[in-house]
Amino acid sequence: LSRKWAALPERETAGTRHPLGLFHWMPGLRSDAAALVTDAMRIAILRANGYSVTASEFVAPEHTPKNRLIVATRLPSGTAAAAAVAAAGLAEYASLKHATGGAGIALEALAGDALARRLRLAEER
């Protein structure tokens, strides 16, 4: 995500920059912000595919800065709870992707065509 942000042009629309432009174009901020947003996007994609997800630190931050553990449990398919989580996860991912300049993560492609179709539908709304 950090490399994708670095490649974004420094756009101005009606005299204003993208709200997250500082993260996109400032290398010192970009890598830290991209790591957090990438984890949030991973969680959203898992939720969009019907998983209940938790994230926690499993090693004290003073030992390693990148220590987030993402645990996903598949919800029973065909239930209202699974459908609600999937809809919320899809909306979360679409919103994050849009807010970050349209840059997605590799997991989006790995999640397959079904996710891509649902994302296109969400973006059309």
Side-chain angles (χ1 to χ4, degrees):
L1 192 58
S2 181
R3 284 187 287 265
K4 289 179 182 179
W5 284 357
L8 289 173
E10 224 174 295
R11 297 178 290 219
E12 289 198 21
T13 307
T16 62
R17 288 186 169 186
H18 187 280
L20 299 177
L22 285 176
F23 291 120
H24 296 171
W25 304 296
M26 299 289 284
L29 297 174
R30 184 174 53 236
S31 61
D32 292 342
L36 290 172
V37 173
T38 297
D39 284 344
M41 288 179 150
R42 288 175 178 145
I43 290 167
I45 288 174
L46 285 165
R47 287 171 44 82
N49 283 285
Y51 286 84
S52 170
V53 185
T54 60
S56 62
E57 293 181 351
F58 63 97
V59 176
E62 59 267 10
H63 297 295
T64 179
K66 296 183 180 183
N67 63 0
R68 194 161 339 281
L69 174 65
I70 298 173
V71 178
T73 306
R74 182 86 169 144
L75 294 170
S77 60
T79 64
V85 166
L90 184 65
E92 291 160 353
Y93 183 75
S95 179
L96 280 168
K97 186 175 177 181
H98 176 73
T100 58
I105 59 173
L107 185 58
E108 177 183 340
L110 294 174
D113 293 336
L115 178 67
R117 279 191 304 275
R118 291 179 10 226
L119 276 171
R120 278 193 301 275
L121 288 172
E123 290 170 359
E124 290 172 4
R125 293 182 188 150

